[in-house]
Structure formats: C-alpha cells, structure tokens
Amino acid sequence: MARRSLTQGSKVGILGMGYYVPPKILRNSDLEKMVDTSNEWITTRTGIKQRRIAEPDVSTSLLGYRAAKKALRDAGITAREIDLIIVATTTQDMFFPSTACIIQQKLRAKGAAAFDIAAACCGFIFALNTAYHYVLAGTYQRVLVVAAEVLSKVVDWTDRNTCVLFGDGAGACVVGKVRTGGILSSYMASDGTWKDLLEIPAGGSRMPASHLTVDERLHYIKMRGNEVFKLAVKMMAEAGNKAVALAGIECRDIDCVIPHQANYRIINATASRLGIDLKKVYMNVNKYGNMSSASTVVALTEAVKKGRIRKGDRVLLVAFGSGLVWSSMVLEWSR
Ligand code: ACO
C-alpha cells in the first residue's frame, strides 16, 4: 500500500488501519446446545451466524494491542512516533489503570499520553472524533485510536435474549494530517434518559461487587432489546442525516456506509430511512456479531481491504449504543 507523508497536509484523516479477532469461532449451532434457541431464530432476527470468542486468559488490551500493531505497520510508523493513544472500550481490563495505558506499555509507546473513552458501541466514532480535534488543533500530530472488546466475559451465557448477539474483537487506526480528503464532518449525541435500556448493573461504585450481585448475575449485560431496536433505527438515521448535512453533501453522494454491526434488520431499516441503496452498506455482522466499539472500525478496515472503499470515496460511519449514545462521521478516503 502506498505510504503518505505523515507530517504535511492541512486536513485530518486516517493514515493506517488494522484489526484483530480471536481465532475461536462460536457458531449458532454451538449456542443451540447452550440455551433454548435456534440457528433459524438468530439468523432471521439478527443476521448473525457466528462470532469470535477470546480465550479465558485473553483480555481487551491484548486484542487492542494486536490491532494497534497492524495499524502502526499500515501507517508505516513506530509506536514511539505516537503522541496520544485513545482506547474506546466497555470491557476495560480493570477499573484502573486505563486500558490505553496497558496498551501503551505493550506497544512500548513511550512519549504518548493515553486515556480511555466510554461510549459503548459509539466508542470508535467518539474516539476518532476526539483524535480528529486534537490533530486539527495542532496539539498532537499522530494519534492511535483503538476500539477493543471482550464482551464474552460480560455476557450471561444462560440468557438467550443477549448471549446470541455479542462477540469479541478489536480494530485500530492512526490519525494524522493528510494532503487530500480526510474527515469532512462529525456528530455525537447522548441521552441518559434511556440509560436503563442497556446496562451492566453491578460492579461499579453504584452497586459494588458482592455475593448478592454475583448470585443475581448483575455483572452481565441486561438489555430491553425491543425498545433498543426501535430507538436504534431512529437514532442511526438521524445521525446519518446529520453528518451528511454537516459535510454539505447529500445521502446520494455517499459511496459506502459503515454502520454499527448490531443487527442486520437495524442496518436495513437505517439504510432505507437514509434512502441509501443497501448495496452501498458494508455488513459483517454475520461473521462477528456485535463487537460494540470495535464493530465499526473492524468493518471499515475490512471494507478497505476488500476494495469496497477507494481513494476519493465518501464514507459514512454511523453508530448507536448504551447510554444511549449515537454518532456519525463522513470521511473522504484519502489513501
Ligand atoms: N432464541 C429464541 N427465542 C428468543 C431468543 C433467542 N435467542 N431471544 C429472545 N427470544 C424470544 C423472546 O423470549 C420472545 O418470546 P415470547 O414472545 O415468547 O416472549 C420472542 O423471542 C420475541 O422476542 P423479541 O425481543 O420481541 O424479539 P425481537 O424481534 O425484538 O428480536 C432482538 C430481539 C434481536 C434482541 C432485537 O430486539 C434487537 O436486535 N434489538 C437491538 C439489540 C441491540 O442492537 N443491542 C445492542 C445495542 S449496542 C450496545 O451498546 C451494546
């Protein structure tokens, strides 16, 4: 892949990307043996066929580190040249230190500042937007953005309502100045009114770990799926329209949509509301399930690798997640 100048240019964009998913595959047929479900139900309701699952000794930082190494290689820079590391995750290795600091240590990225962002499935777009503004302001030149999740460790494997939906994985990108294209617009929104729709109730300062919280399985994902579904479609469409308008273009000018990969029905409905042909929408939810913050960056990297996104293309990223949060970005592909 052609390398670009890392120091020149007046716009901000992506200089390199990579992703890593653990090798272990959990198929719908495996889930049929674990809970009262069927491949037919999961496929027709969600589009998911399989997901990746991390081994018990693998944490989020390891997946993120592996994705980050690939992104650095793709950008043609070393870890020492990174000024800032932002990690988006909902499954951080521990309360503190931040997963960003743990990844910094694994990369030996001495000299970089590092912090985490908590924005659930919007984590990658929120982190990319933060990196964008730091580079735009001239505070940092090269920012490593990582989105990584080991959701399999916070999924209740006895709850069929949620355990069929999620998977593990990580993606990363290096953000810096580019000569052409780059980020054209970005949009973030939140509304805590709906904070109870999708949560892990215990383990934090509100409800610290106790025998009771463990017995009541409160350290696992709880979701009111049906309500989330309806809001997701509304918010994804709103976010998509917003970023497109902020970029001063029309939905018909978008060449490729990279939506959060939660459910193919949400993606279909979003595309339809935006009036964007489904052929322009990249989907990999069938292979990986919902990897929360990692979903959009893994899909974006795959779409680029497969030639679905080329130089000059206009790409719309759009996501929603627990919070509730929703977000979007339009990029003109500059590589
Ligand atoms: N297998 C078989 N039956 C199931 C399963 C399963 N895995 N899960 C639920 N059911 C049953 C329910 O119990 C219910 O049965 P009942 O009618 O006898 O009560 C029936 O299927 C229908 O349940 P619904 O919840 O109405 O099914 P729905 O069509 O809404 O699909 C789903 C459920 C797939 C969860 C959908 O609501 C959805 O995708 N919601 C959005 C979820 C999402 O995207 N979450 C991630 C947010 S991003 C983040 O921040 C992590």
Side-chain angles (χ1 to χ4, degrees):
M1 200 172 284
R3 298 275 174 256
R4 307 188 58 74
S5 163
L6 295 170
T7 51
Q8 291 177 13
S10 54
K11 296 155 189 243
V12 179
I14 290 177
L15 307 173
M17 308 189 69
Y19 74 91
Y20 176 82
V21 290
K24 185 175 164 190
I25 295 174
L26 186 73
R27 296 187 174 79
N28 291 350
S29 55
D30 301 315
L31 282 164
E32 285 176 347
K33 294 172 202 137
M34 295 163 64
V35 288
D36 180 16
T37 191
S38 66
N39 175 42
E40 201 265 335
W41 192 96
I42 302 170
T43 305
T44 53
R45 299 286 177 130
T46 71
I48 301 167
K49 293 279 190 190
Q50 60 180 52
R51 66 290 288 144
R52 300 299 181 100
I53 304 292
E55 293 299 331
D57 62 341
V58 169
S59 62
T60 294
S61 65
L62 186 60
L63 301 189
Y65 161 72
R66 290 186 172 152
K69 289 275 281 184
K70 292 183 179 187
L72 291 173
R73 201 176 312 130
D74 191 38
I77 63 168
T78 65
R80 294 238 176 197
E81 293 173 87
I82 290 292
D83 307 312
L84 174 67
I85 301 172
I86 307 175
V87 173
T89 185
T90 48
T91 48
Q92 62 271 35
D93 282 21
M94 53 185 92
F95 274 135
F96 57 82
S98 69
T99 304
C101 281
I102 299 169
I103 292 177
Q104 178 198 25
Q105 180 268 328
K106 286 188 201 297
L107 288 170
R108 297 195 184 90
K110 280 214 182 268
F115 62 85
D116 288 358
I117 277 188
C121 303
C122 286
F124 175 65
I125 300 180
F126 272 50
L128 186 55
N129 196 4
T130 307
Y132 164 59
H133 282 94
Y134 273 120
V135 177
L136 202 63
T139 315
Y140 297 111
Q141 282 198 354
R142 285 156 217 147
V143 182
L144 174 67
V145 173
V146 181
E149 304 285 359
V150 179
L151 290 161
S152 60
K153 293 189 187 176
V154 294
V155 157
D156 184 347
W157 292 104
T158 66
D159 176 13
R160 70 174 183 174
N161 290 297
T162 51
C163 76
V164 302
L165 303 174
F166 299 99
D168 302 335
C173 69
V174 179
V175 178
K177 289 274 174 77
V178 291
R179 283 185 202 280
T180 57
I183 294 165
L184 302 184
S185 68
S186 60
Y187 171 69
M188 304 192 296
S190 313
D191 190 343
T193 311
W194 289 299
K195 64 183 169 37
D196 304 331
L197 292 188
L198 183 51
E199 61 176 7
I200 297 178
S205 59
R206 188 187 66 155
M207 207 188 287
S210 67
H211 287 293
L212 184 74
T213 61
V214 172
D215 290 346
E216 295 190 355
R217 309 183 77 76
L218 296 177
H219 297 272
Y220 296 122
I221 295 173
K222 310 284 175 202
M223 182 177 70
R224 292 180 0 221
N226 216 286
E227 288 161 75
V228 174
F229 188 100
K230 287 178 207 147
L231 287 164
V233 174
K234 197 169 151 252
M235 288 163 170
M236 294 267 279
E238 189 220 298
N241 277 320
K242 201 84 177 188
V244 165
L246 287 169
I249 59 173
E250 308 276 338
C251 281
R252 62 170 176 269
D253 301 322
I254 295 293
D255 299 294
C256 185
V257 182
I258 305 289
H260 173 50
Q261 310 281 320
N263 181 318
Y264 89 100
R265 290 190 293 146
I266 295 175
I267 297 173
N268 281 4
T270 302
S272 154
R273 282 192 181 207
L274 290 173
I276 295 180
D277 192 330
L278 210 52
K279 286 198 202 101
K280 289 185 176 180
V281 181
Y282 187 79
M283 272 194 251
N284 61 11
V285 65
N286 59 320
K287 290 195 292 184
Y288 303 126
N290 180 348
M291 298 183 288
S292 192
S293 68
S295 276
T296 34
V297 59
V298 171
L300 178 62
T301 312
E302 264 195 2
V304 172
K305 278 187 191 301
K306 287 183 176 176
R308 287 280 299 271
I309 296 171
R310 292 165 197 279
K311 190 171 179 180
D313 279 357
R314 281 163 175 169
V315 181
L316 171 65
L317 305 181
V318 58
F320 77 97
S322 166
L324 291 177
V325 288
W326 58 110
S327 58
S328 54
M329 185 174 271
V330 174
L331 302 103
E332 187 180 304
W333 208 246
S334 43
R335 312 178 67 223

